[in-house]
Amino acid sequence: MSRHIKITAAVAAAALLATACSQGSATRGTTAEAGGKVTLRYFTFSAAPDHVKDLDTIEKAFEKENPNVDVVVETAPFDQYFTKLQTSIAGGTAPDTFELNYENFVTYASAGSLLDLATVAGDNDTSVYAQESLNAFKRDGKQYALPASFSTVVLFYNKDLFDKAGVPVPTADWTWADEQAAAEKLTDKKKGVYGDFQPVQFFEFYKTLKQAGGEFLSADGKKSAFNSPQGVKAATWLVSKVGKTMPTEAEVGGTADYDTNLFKSGKLAMWHNGIWQFAGLKDVPFEWDVVVEPGDAAKASAVFHNAVAASSTTKHGKEAWAWARFLSASGTAATTRIRSSWELPPVSDQQVLSGYLKDPKPANRQAVFDSLQAIALPPVIKRQQEMQDAVTKELSEAAAGRKSVEEALKAAATEVDALLG
Amino acid sequence: MSVRQAIPQAPPKAPVTHARPRRRGGWRYAGTVALFLLPSLVPLTLYTLIPMVGSFWTSLHEWDLITEMRWVGLGNYIELVGDPDTRAAFLHTLYFIAGYLPLVYLGGLGLAVLLNRAMPARGLLRGVYFLPVITSWVVVALMWKWLLNPASGIVNWALGLVGVSGPGWWTDPDWAMPSIILASAWKDLGFVMIILLAGLQAIPREYQEAAMVDGATAWRRFRHITLPLLSPSTFFVVVISLINGFQVFDQVQIMTGGGPGGATQVVVSQIYDLTFRYGRAGAASALSWLLFALVLLVTIVQIRGQKRWVTYG
């Protein structure tokens, strides 16, 4: 009899072990309540590495106003962020609140993984928000996320390199042709200096396409429309820089933040990038400034929106809403973002926004607001990532000279149409 | 050396008691076996069997990891069989194996034969060649990525010194797979070497000596004594390397990410992309099962075929 008991005990121990393991991972998702305090998890990509302290400032202020809530911040770099978010949702350990960008918002909202914030909202005063930002995160009339910040892409330039080469610095009137002529004069491959850097990928393409006067999708959104003369023009513009005024893929060699480092080391004259780079460029040993991106047939600047959403599975909806609200609309959040040049708060109060212009660097901060006058929003479809990958892949083929621009666009259009169909 | 001395003494027989017969098939015996198996059975069940059942279930659904699963039956399998990307991924995997397997086997065999001879610092050298095997793939892949950097890598720099303009290695679709094969073979050489070295040392010297007395040349002794007697080790190495070859992923992900232009997109990187980039966990699970079926088939064929060429001394 005793041997049976032993076996039973061993099996029971194993079973216990198994349940202990699965519980161990589950308890990480639910919030532990100690002394009536609510732990609220927040997952973000935009804070690290330059703005962790700024987020900390906002968090401390929030916890002072809401002493029963303890916000726990988790960060991941953008290129790993959505993989981690998706896996944690699938694994039942979704963070209570998390950041979403506009391109991915649609996917998450239509998947039912976001909490309708109206059901937990403390008050419905939406006048603090810039209305177009607020509406961007509405779906089927429901507010699934609150806009937290927005940013635009501008043309950064190294003033010292321009002065040394005797080339007049970029102005708001510049077109592609001006940019190209300057880039050619500024490129000095012997010294490792490049005139221009604009990544050949989906996000630059949809924007330059709009600058060329084209559209990415047909009006009804059911077919691709970029395989057009304007599309060819835009793609040619991007591809023609590679190896001439811009390093090739082989020269970049897969190095992370290659362009950031190139610009910071004073070896890049013009750089197409977002205003989130301002803080990181504070201490570079040369003069730099920004200007609205040159256009072609039209001006068009890329605008990126980030928002805070709450998981539909959170047990702390009210607290989640309060945190989302604080992060997006509070005075602390807005002034912290502005003071540290951490993107822009989507608030309606122009007084707050004008504070952004007080910072002396870069001198032409007005360009950030000017760029908002003609914007290009990224096309969003259900199979977003596959579309982005397909377009980037075909453009890279053209950039490496393995396909003509026409062939690449035709192939990309076929793939995107298949994704839409 | 006297032959008598080499024969070990038989251990004294245990006294047979009729009171407690021990049958190998008895319940007590089974219980003991079960107890010993339990420690490995628990993690095997938790981390292999349950996930396998789960992945099969998932493969019958459309699932983006965030919405509810939607039943599609064999839809994913049917779609994958007709999908050109899937076909390309299998072709790239076979291309990898076709380059990797001969390279790693012949290289490992050469090293094993060399390091089986008496030579100075032999132990150290064996350790050095084995070092890459226990090094993380992340380190090895990054190192090869830098060595083979088309613009600033040391390999192309060295080629430049002798007047050869080096290829675009992992940025050129024609050279990307050879780059990965090279790095993979380099890393796994030590593993093949160790297994074959053990196999070589198990071959009794008497056979070689007898052949030498009969006047066989070094090549004939290698071909007709060493190789056949090494075949069990060879069989093991080939089976393991083939399975590893089908599962190639880490080095691809780090060195090329499946590029350029999809030239190194292998089956497992396709599985990864489907799940984590495109939110298609169902299709990814189905592809995993297709890969499993292929590996199983190939391994069964190998085990059936071993009778023809594997000699057990």
Side-chain angles (χ1 to χ4, degrees):
Chain A
M1 206 55 215
S2 70
R3 64 173 183 266
H4 285 290
I5 293 173
K6 271 185 206 156
I7 294 171
T8 318
V11 170
L16 260 175
L17 191 71
T19 47
C21 288
S22 59
Q23 273 180 353
S25 58
T27 36
R28 276 192 291 126
T30 57
T31 53
E33 287 181 40
K37 214 168 184 183
V38 170
T39 304
L40 196 72
R41 290 167 67 212
Y42 175 57
F43 191 36
T44 169
F45 57 80
S46 71
D50 292 331
H51 297 285
V52 177
K53 274 188 189 150
D54 303 318
L55 181 60
D56 202 42
T57 309
I58 301 174
E59 185 199 323
K60 290 270 148 57
F62 173 75
E63 286 170 350
K64 210 170 171 190
E65 272 185 32
N66 301 270
N68 66 323
V69 185
D70 178 22
V71 177
V72 176
V73 172
E74 293 155 43
T75 72
F78 185 76
D79 57 349
Q80 294 166 20
Y81 180 83
F82 288 100
T83 305
K84 292 193 171 167
L85 182 61
Q86 226 174 16
T87 338
S88 67
I89 291 177
T93 59
D96 300 287
T97 54
F98 47 85
E99 194 168 18
L100 277 180
N101 59 358
Y102 173 71
E103 297 88 276
N104 286 294
F105 166 75
V106 176
T107 312
Y108 282 81
S110 53
S113 41
L114 306 183
L115 184 69
D116 177 5
L117 291 174
T119 59
V120 289
D123 72 80
N124 282 319
D125 177 20
T126 54
S127 65
V128 287
Y129 293 103
Q131 291 306 302
E132 58 271 34
S133 297
L134 194 65
N135 290 334
F137 295 98
K138 244 182 210 161
R139 199 170 160 79
D140 307 326
K142 286 178 183 153
Q143 196 75 47
Y144 281 115
L146 291 175
S149 70
F150 69 99
S151 52
T152 73
V153 171
V154 291
L155 183 68
F156 291 69
Y157 63 93
N158 180 327
K159 201 161 172 293
D160 289 5
L161 283 179
F162 272 86
D163 292 348
K164 230 180 278 169
V167 179
V169 297
T171 67
D173 307 324
W174 268 28
T175 61
W176 291 356
D178 298 311
E179 182 184 332
Q180 189 180 6
E184 277 166 15
K185 281 184 209 148
L186 288 156
T187 303
D188 186 349
K189 284 191 188 170
K190 275 195 194 119
K191 286 185 185 160
V193 172
Y194 289 95
D196 209 351
F197 198 102
Q198 183 167 21
V200 182
Q201 34 100 312
F202 170 82
F203 286 97
E204 296 298 330
F205 177 66
Y206 85 74
K207 175 183 68 185
T208 46
L209 175 65
K210 188 126 194 215
Q211 289 172 352
E215 285 297 332
F216 193 88
L217 295 176
S218 61
D220 60 4
K222 284 186 182 149
K223 267 188 102 60
S224 71
F226 59 81
N227 186 15
S228 60
Q230 293 89 342
V232 171
K233 206 171 172 198
T236 307
W237 163 234
L238 289 176
V239 164
S240 69
K241 297 181 179 187
V242 179
K244 282 192 187 139
T245 58
M246 185 177 136
T248 60
E249 195 193 338
E251 283 160 336
V252 173
T255 316
D257 296 325
Y258 178 92
D259 50 340
T260 312
N261 295 329
L262 194 68
F263 190 78
K264 279 187 180 172
S265 63
K267 291 190 166 178
L268 179 59
M270 285 182 282
W271 185 30
H272 294 259
N273 216 303
I275 60 171
W276 54 84
Q277 299 283 1
F278 283 3
L281 294 174
K282 251 191 327 220
D283 304 319
V284 292
F286 54 83
E287 290 296 310
W288 60 278
D289 209 342
V290 297
V291 64
V292 179
E293 271 195 0
D296 181 49
K299 284 267 183 186
S301 295
V303 171
F304 296 105
H305 265 102
N306 298 329
V308 199
S311 162
S312 56
T313 59
T314 181
K315 288 183 181 145
H316 308 294
K318 288 235 176 294
E319 290 83 1
W321 174 82
W323 168 240
R325 170 88 176 179
F326 194 86
L327 202 51
S328 58
S330 71
T332 314
T335 48
T336 305
R337 285 184 195 281
I338 285 191
R339 193 163 11 88
S340 61
S341 292
W342 179 16
E343 306 190 349
L344 285 164
V347 294
S348 54
D349 189 345
Q350 293 305 310
Q351 199 66 37
V352 175
L353 285 175
S354 64
Y356 192 73
L357 298 173
K358 286 191 190 125
D359 198 315
K361 223 176 190 182
N364 186 24
R365 280 187 173 238
Q366 182 59 38
V368 175
F369 295 107
D370 293 347
S371 70
L372 293 174
Q373 276 157 22
I375 64 169
L377 283 176
V380 175
I381 69 168
K382 197 161 170 273
R383 295 170 77 175
Q384 184 71 10
Q385 191 65 51
E386 283 170 276
M387 173 175 79
Q388 291 178 194
D389 282 4
V391 171
T392 299
K393 179 179 140 191
E394 292 301 336
L395 287 174
S396 310
E397 290 290 288
R402 293 190 288 267
K403 277 185 183 173
S404 71
V405 166
E406 288 80 1
E407 285 166 346
L409 282 187
K410 197 176 161 209
T414 312
E415 287 183 58
V416 172
D417 285 339
L419 293 173
L420 286 163
Chain B
M1 188 167 71
S2 84
V3 178
R4 185 187 293 268
Q5 230 178 334
I7 297 173
Q9 290 292 312
K13 278 197 176 149
V16 182
T17 56
H18 291 275
R20 299 182 67 181
R22 293 192 180 202
R23 286 177 297 120
R24 273 176 69 88
W27 272 108
R28 173 173 281 272
Y29 181 75
T32 314
V33 169
L35 263 179
F36 276 103
L37 285 179
L38 211 55
S40 57
L41 201 63
V42 169
L44 200 67
T45 309
L46 275 179
Y47 299 115
T48 305
L49 291 178
I50 294 175
M52 276 179 83
V53 174
S55 108
F56 182 69
W57 182 244
T58 308
S59 77
L60 304 175
H61 295 76
E62 190 74 58
W63 188 34
D64 60 6
L65 298 179
I66 51 179
T67 333
E68 293 282 292
M69 286 191 187
R70 196 167 55 83
W71 176 265
V72 290
L74 292 176
N76 285 322
Y77 291 92
I78 293 163
E79 186 202 321
L80 286 174
V81 169
D83 175 32
D85 289 344
T86 307
R87 226 171 297 151
F90 274 103
L91 280 178
H92 294 153
T93 307
L94 293 177
Y95 175 16
F96 173 80
I97 291 171
Y100 164 78
L101 198 60
L103 205 59
V104 81
Y105 178 71
L106 293 177
L109 181 63
L111 277 181
V113 169
L114 278 178
L115 292 176
N116 196 30
R117 294 166 177 241
M119 62 190 294
R122 188 172 69 168
L124 178 77
L125 282 175
R126 286 177 183 171
V128 166
Y129 281 109
F130 193 71
L131 208 56
V133 179
I134 53 167
T135 309
S136 147
W137 247 126
V138 177
V139 175
V140 173
L142 281 177
M143 184 193 81
W144 275 98
K145 194 171 177 176
W146 286 330
L147 287 176
L148 294 176
N149 187 306
S152 53
I154 197 166
V155 172
N156 276 4
W157 172 79
L159 286 174
L161 288 185
V162 294
V164 178
S165 156
W169 297 114
W170 44 264
T171 56
D172 182 332
D174 294 335
W175 282 96
M177 193 54 98
S179 302
I180 288 172
I181 289 170
L182 192 65
S184 310
W186 179 83
K187 188 178 189 303
D188 295 344
L189 270 186
F191 172 73
V192 177
M193 173 197 79
I194 285 290
I195 303 289
L196 294 185
L197 200 53
L200 283 176
Q201 287 172 352
I203 299 176
R205 277 202 67 79
E206 287 80 6
Y207 294 170
Q208 300 277 359
E209 282 162 4
M212 240 187 286
V213 170
D214 289 345
T217 60
W219 166 248
R220 292 198 64 141
R221 273 180 280 134
F222 180 73
R223 171 72 190 78
H224 293 290
I225 296 174
T226 310
L227 272 189
L229 288 176
L230 204 54
S231 55
S233 309
T234 300
F235 176 69
F236 174 74
V237 161
V238 169
V239 171
I240 292 289
S241 302
L242 250 178
I243 294 176
N244 285 341
F246 275 112
Q247 295 176 346
V248 56
F249 175 63
D250 313 36
Q251 55 269 55
V252 173
Q253 193 70 4
I254 296 166
M255 287 178 70
T256 63
T264 56
Q265 184 79 345
V266 288
V267 178
V268 181
S269 36
Q270 181 77 0
I271 292 172
Y272 176 87
D273 281 353
L274 279 173
T275 316
F276 295 114
R277 290 184 72 80
Y278 306 148
R280 301 198 58 205
S285 298
L287 187 51
S288 309
W289 277 94
L290 290 181
L291 181 63
F292 175 73
L294 182 65
V295 173
L296 188 68
L297 188 76
V298 168
T299 307
I300 288 173
V301 167
Q302 278 182 292
I303 290 174
R304 283 275 163 83
Q306 69 163 318
K307 289 189 198 95
R308 294 170 183 271
W309 63 278
V310 179
T311 323
Y312 292 96

